[in-house]
Amino acid sequence: MNVAELPPQFAPLPQRINRLYELAYNLWWSWQPEAQALYQTIDATLWERTGHNPVKFLREVSLASLEQKALDSNYLAQYDRVTIKFDHYMRDDRTWFARNHPDHKDHTIAYFSAEFGIHESLPIYSGGLGILSGDHCKEASDIGLPFVGVGFLYPQGYFRQFINSEGTQEALYERLNFAELPALVVRNSDGSELRVSVDLPGRTVFVKVWRFQVGRITLLLMDTDVDENRPEDRELSARLYGGDQWLRVAQEIILGIAGVRVLRALNINPTVWHMNEGHSAFLGLELLRERVQRGENLEHAVAEVRKRSVFTTHTPVPAGNDAFPLDLIDQFFHNYWPQLGIDRDTFMNIALQQQSWGPTFSMTVLALRLSEYHNGVSELHGAVARQMWQFLYPGKSVDEVPIGHVTNGVHSDTWLAPAMANMYDSVLGAGWREVMDEPTTWERITNMPDEVLWGVHSGLKHDLARFIRERAWQRQRRLGYHRDDAISGDVNPNALLIGFARRFATYKRATLIFRDLDRIKRILNNPERPVQIIFAGKSHPADEPGKSFIRAVYNMARDPELRGKIFFIEEYDINVGRHLVQSVDVWLNNPRRPLEASGTSGEKAGMNGVPNLSVLDGWWREAYNGKNGWAIGREAGYDDLEQQDIDDAESLYSLLENEVVPAFYERDANGLPHKWIATMKESIRTVAPEFSFRRMLKEYVAQYYVPGMQAE
């Protein structure tokens, strides 16, 4: 039996508050503002300097500061409330899953993902896929799923973003100090570090494992930086989404095949296997190999693996799905397919996809063929996916292709502003979180006093202005040169604030709002109705077109006629995203339809009372009801992309000029914009329940997890 290593010893904490150490090593704190406050109130400056990381904080905080708090009755009362809440959470055996599926409590769901976005202090995520995986873990914990996550602990994480004086994004890589993370190395029963291995061309590569506790569930992250490996292999898992196709295949072999072997070594034998995107699809091959090696014939093994496997696709364009040349697959798997009892051609045919440049081994095809349950991440994306992969199901119409959908949601406690949560406690009652996915829970929002909602929102806008100003000062101190108008801190909390924060992929069209410069300048420069736009986002380091969009936004912010109207926040991360979705007035999203599989940033904004101004793509196509925000453009396909841009830009400008800006500035004698507040309330009422992760995960349980558990 394997046991996890105890964490390294810190300086002893005062006895009265010695559980601060225990709390730091369970990421439950990452969605509990009261738990985070236990550290912040000891030393707010250090809390900021350590990136809101309680493990690092406890390594650096002074003993005098701790001893002072151990004598503070107010602090001790807060500490007791948090520890009691934590104990109740961890020991509760009446979770939603336990109450509704008691016969399946001994089954385990293994969830594989290339990235997990839990918190800004653990920067091993790049964007929406990772944030979704992190939210999946948190909600699995909240509802008591028997669940384990499997992925990578990238020593260099994803890159840190620096915008130089020309507006060019530069990627900075900093090595993570694992001693400053809530990470425990997994050991064997004899105390030695657990190792599993996989074969790569010409050698064996070894993997160590780190365990993270995320509330009630465990997250296992792999790392190849071990002494047994060659120097180049120690770097295999160094970075997220780096390197060439050879490195990509190697990483995905480790994720899928080594990931299965890690679970087996830990005596974790999942009933259901969930592949979050195709990166982990090699796990299906490993499950086949296990069965064939035990004496099953391949046909029977495929049937058994399929009926317990779930595959979620996130990519609505062929180019976004990993597909590798067959000769590259030859290099990695020529010793593997004999273990399946098959020849090369049979092996390649499992995942064969013909491309314009030749035959490829497609990870999406592999995942679809080795799973029974398949889904897109919104209703529209499900339809797009059925059309994309119809060729795999000869004789079936598009509608008959077995790819369903579960529309993405967001983990409410992570993304909801504490001030909004406190307001919901008052308006909805303290138990609203237990029924957050039920629309009736939110009906009382409609009747709450306008001045209450507006007061909370206005306070959050002032907090956002301070946050951006402080980040601008930090940048100036770090660089030691003059003020940067593109990243300055002069956000006006009384202006209409438009937020745009996401990956700077070109299909998301960050620059669409600048298509007609004269028109946007008129909108932004009206002194009677000030409007500001706040941008944030990263582009993949190899995505030059995406980086050019960042440069274009940056240079717009420096335009003398737009100075002080547009801001770009450097180093987009969970912390920046959280501030923006909680505090701007309207959330802008204008992807090129239908390329936004789902999107979740607008869901986070919507439940905070921030209406969406969005193209009818992904989740917003399902959410928009004519009263909870605004719809850009038409629900139509375009062959002429230029015309699509023209039409969508015209729609965006018209909405801003005729509906959005007038509604925001239409005030009563007390300065309240009642029409705008009505839209905020409708946003909360409709978005909070239907696009919560609670609703989403219950759908996974009903449609995929429990049927997989019940498979005979």
Side-chain angles (χ1 to χ4, degrees):
M1 179 179 178
N2 298 283
V3 297
E5 177 191 17
L6 291 175
Q9 291 300 311
F10 291 3
L13 296 172
Q15 182 64 30
R16 182 63 177 83
I17 56 172
N18 65 1
R19 295 190 68 191
L20 287 175
Y21 188 79
E22 176 188 355
L23 290 171
Y25 270 81
N26 189 317
L27 284 154
W28 174 83
W29 61 259
S30 70
W31 68 95
Q32 301 294 329
E34 305 98 323
Q36 296 166 36
L38 290 180
Y39 304 94
Q40 183 181 23
T41 54
I42 295 172
D43 186 334
T45 301
L46 179 61
W47 178 247
E48 292 299 321
R49 194 172 74 238
T50 56
H52 310 152
N53 178 347
V55 174
K56 186 175 183 181
F57 178 91
L58 290 175
R59 293 176 68 90
E60 298 184 16
V61 69
S62 71
L63 181 59
S65 296
L66 293 168
E67 289 176 337
Q68 182 182 19
K69 287 300 180 184
L71 298 174
D72 182 334
S73 60
N74 290 328
Y75 180 83
L76 294 177
Q78 179 186 9
Y79 171 86
D80 290 341
R81 285 193 300 270
V82 171
T83 53
I84 290 170
K85 182 178 180 181
F86 175 68
D87 289 340
H88 175 76
Y89 181 92
M90 295 299 293
R91 295 169 186 168
D92 184 10
D93 59 1
R94 293 289 296 161
T95 63
W96 176 86
F97 190 81
R99 295 194 310 271
N100 289 274
H101 300 282
D103 295 341
H104 302 300
K105 62 182 176 62
D106 295 328
H107 294 271
T108 299
I109 302 150
Y111 178 85
F112 283 62
S113 185
E115 48 178 303
F116 287 89
I118 305 286
H119 187 259
E120 61 265 24
S121 62
L122 186 59
I124 57 170
Y125 59 91
S126 70
L129 182 72
I131 301 302
L132 189 83
S133 299
D135 280 8
H136 206 118
C137 291
K138 295 171 187 176
E139 194 64 52
S141 171
D142 284 347
I143 69 171
L145 275 189
F147 184 95
V148 59
V150 180
F152 276 119
L153 182 58
Y154 303 96
Q156 296 179 26
Y158 201 47
F159 71 95
R160 295 195 61 193
Q161 182 190 55
F162 170 66
I163 306 298
N164 68 22
S165 58
E166 283 75 46
T168 299
Q169 171 185 283
E170 297 179 5
L172 307 176
Y173 290 93
E174 296 179 358
R175 190 171 187 83
L176 298 177
N177 182 351
F178 292 171
E180 296 175 347
L181 299 177
L184 305 176
V185 66
V186 176
R187 296 183 179 273
N188 297 300
S189 55
D190 63 2
S192 61
E193 291 186 357
L194 174 70
R195 293 285 188 275
V196 299
S197 64
V198 291
D199 291 332
L200 296 184
R203 76 270 197 191
T204 298
V205 172
F206 295 90
V207 175
K208 72 183 296 184
V209 187
W210 298 87
R211 179 172 66 83
F212 291 76
Q213 199 64 30
V214 185
R216 300 181 179 105
I217 71 102
T218 297
L219 176 61
L220 300 170
L221 300 181
M222 295 176 287
D223 176 17
T224 62
D225 188 13
V226 296
D227 292 341
E228 296 93 326
N229 289 335
R230 299 179 182 181
E232 62 269 27
D233 291 333
R234 297 182 71 156
E235 294 291 312
L236 279 175
S237 62
R239 296 179 183 178
L240 175 63
Y241 302 144
D244 56 15
Q245 283 195 315
W246 192 99
L247 179 61
R248 189 77 166 223
V249 174
Q251 285 187 335
E252 293 183 2
I253 284 174
I254 294 167
L255 177 60
I257 295 177
V260 173
R261 294 176 184 178
V262 164
L263 294 175
R264 300 306 192 203
L266 292 169
N267 198 29
I268 299 172
N269 296 301
T271 307
V272 175
W273 303 80
H274 187 169
M275 297 168 277
N276 190 43
E277 195 53 280
H279 309 118
S280 59
F282 288 136
L283 76 82
L285 296 178
E286 180 65 5
L287 297 177
L288 290 180
R289 188 194 67 81
E290 290 179 335
R291 289 179 171 275
V292 170
Q293 292 294 298
R294 292 199 300 264
E296 293 183 28
N297 65 56
L298 184 63
E299 183 178 359
H300 182 265
V302 168
E304 290 299 306
V305 168
R306 277 180 54 86
K307 65 188 181 184
R308 294 178 177 85
S309 297
V310 181
F311 169 56
T312 299
T313 176
H314 294 262
T315 311
V317 291
N321 294 268
D322 282 346
F324 303 111
L326 299 189
D327 59 350
L328 183 61
I329 297 298
D330 275 327
Q331 295 178 43
F332 285 92
F333 284 95
H334 68 278
N335 289 326
Y336 196 91
W337 61 69
Q339 299 176 60
L340 297 173
I342 58 177
D343 59 21
R344 176 190 184 275
D345 289 345
T346 304
F347 179 83
M348 295 298 181
N349 281 333
I350 295 174
L352 191 65
Q353 183 180 9
Q354 295 292 339
Q355 308 276 8
S356 59
W357 58 88
T360 62
F361 191 95
S362 165
M363 298 299 284
T364 301
V365 173
L366 179 64
L368 287 168
R369 286 196 166 138
L370 294 183
S371 60
E372 181 72 22
Y373 308 104
H374 323 123
N375 71 285
V377 291
S378 70
E379 184 180 43
L380 179 59
H381 178 232
V384 170
R386 286 190 289 277
Q387 189 169 35
M388 283 177 62
W389 303 106
Q390 182 188 14
F391 71 91
L392 293 176
Y393 304 93
K396 289 186 182 292
S397 68
V398 170
D399 290 341
E400 294 172 323
V401 171
I403 300 176
H405 79 276
V406 175
T407 301
N408 284 346
V410 296
H411 184 251
S412 303
D413 279 343
T414 293
W415 299 103
L416 188 62
M420 293 292 289
N422 291 336
M423 184 186 70
Y424 293 162
D425 288 342
S426 299
V427 175
L428 306 177
W432 65 268
R433 286 177 176 82
E434 294 303 311
V435 286
M436 69 173 68
D437 56 318
E438 297 179 13
T440 54
T441 299
W442 299 88
E443 293 301 327
R444 277 173 284 179
I445 287 292
T446 305
N447 297 322
M448 70 178 298
D450 283 4
E451 60 270 20
V452 172
L453 177 56
W454 190 246
V456 171
H457 179 66
S458 297
L460 290 169
K461 289 180 68 176
H462 280 82
D463 291 344
L464 176 65
R466 283 192 296 271
F467 171 75
I468 294 176
R469 184 166 58 247
E470 288 166 3
R471 287 183 70 97
W473 287 343
Q474 290 168 8
R475 174 180 164 89
Q476 288 176 234
R477 288 195 298 269
R478 185 174 73 249
L479 299 179
Y481 59 66
H482 64 280
R483 166 193 175 95
D484 187 336
D485 286 318
I487 313 182
S488 73
D490 293 334
V491 170
N492 176 7
N494 297 312
L496 171 62
L497 301 182
I498 300 173
F500 183 101
R502 54 189 46 88
R503 255 187 333 118
F504 262 64
T506 52
Y507 79 86
K508 294 180 183 286
R509 298 189 299 182
T511 58
L512 182 70
I513 199 167
F514 301 121
R515 187 173 181 88
D516 184 335
L517 272 179
D518 289 338
R519 201 162 174 187
I520 192 60
K521 286 177 180 178
R522 286 197 299 272
I523 293 170
L524 298 183
N525 286 317
N526 182 343
E528 302 299 317
R529 295 178 168 182
V531 179
Q532 296 180 330
I533 311 176
I534 304 169
F535 289 89
K538 291 180 177 179
S539 179
H540 187 283
D543 181 4
E544 293 302 326
K547 289 194 287 186
S548 74
F549 275 34
I550 292 176
R551 190 160 47 248
V553 170
Y554 179 89
N555 287 327
M556 285 294 174
R558 301 182 70 183
D559 184 311
E561 294 183 66
L562 292 173
R563 185 171 294 135
K565 306 296 182 182
I566 298 168
F567 308 99
F568 189 94
I569 305 180
E570 186 182 56
E571 181 56 1
Y572 180 47
D573 64 0
I574 288 175
N575 188 34
V576 170
R578 191 167 52 235
H579 276 84
L580 290 177
V581 299
Q582 293 173 356
S583 308
V584 297
D585 291 302
V586 65
W587 196 254
L588 176 63
N589 188 34
N590 44 235
R592 187 182 302 285
R593 187 181 186 276
L595 301 185
E596 183 85 291
S598 177
T600 57
S601 62
E603 297 173 347
K604 298 161 192 165
M607 71 175 186
N608 277 288
V610 176
N612 278 260
L613 171 60
S614 178
V615 167
L616 288 168
D617 199 5
W619 79 279
W620 185 237
R621 177 178 174 269
E622 299 167 46
Y624 175 64
N625 68 3
K627 297 183 293 183
N628 58 357
W630 298 271
I632 299 170
R634 299 180 292 120
E635 193 173 352
Y638 282 83
D639 294 324
D640 185 339
L641 301 186
E642 176 70 11
Q643 188 61 50
Q644 186 178 23
D645 288 352
I646 291 171
D647 290 352
D648 286 352
E650 171 59 33
S651 175
L652 173 57
Y653 293 136
S654 293
L655 287 168
L656 287 171
E657 293 165 340
N658 301 319
E659 297 187 38
V660 178
V661 176
F664 183 81
Y665 282 106
E666 185 180 308
R667 308 292 175 97
D668 71 3
N670 296 316
L672 291 174
H674 292 288
K675 184 176 180 181
W676 185 272
I677 295 170
T679 305
M680 294 175 67
K681 290 180 179 179
E682 185 68 3
S683 176
I684 295 168
R685 188 188 70 80
T686 56
V687 174
E690 294 295 337
F691 300 95
S692 68
F693 219 107
R694 182 72 49 87
R695 183 275 311 160
M696 172 186 165
L697 198 48
K698 286 181 180 179
E699 289 188 15
Y700 271 102
V701 169
Q703 297 180 32
Y704 307 132
Y705 293 163
V706 167
M709 293 173 177
Q710 294 173 336
E712 296 295 336

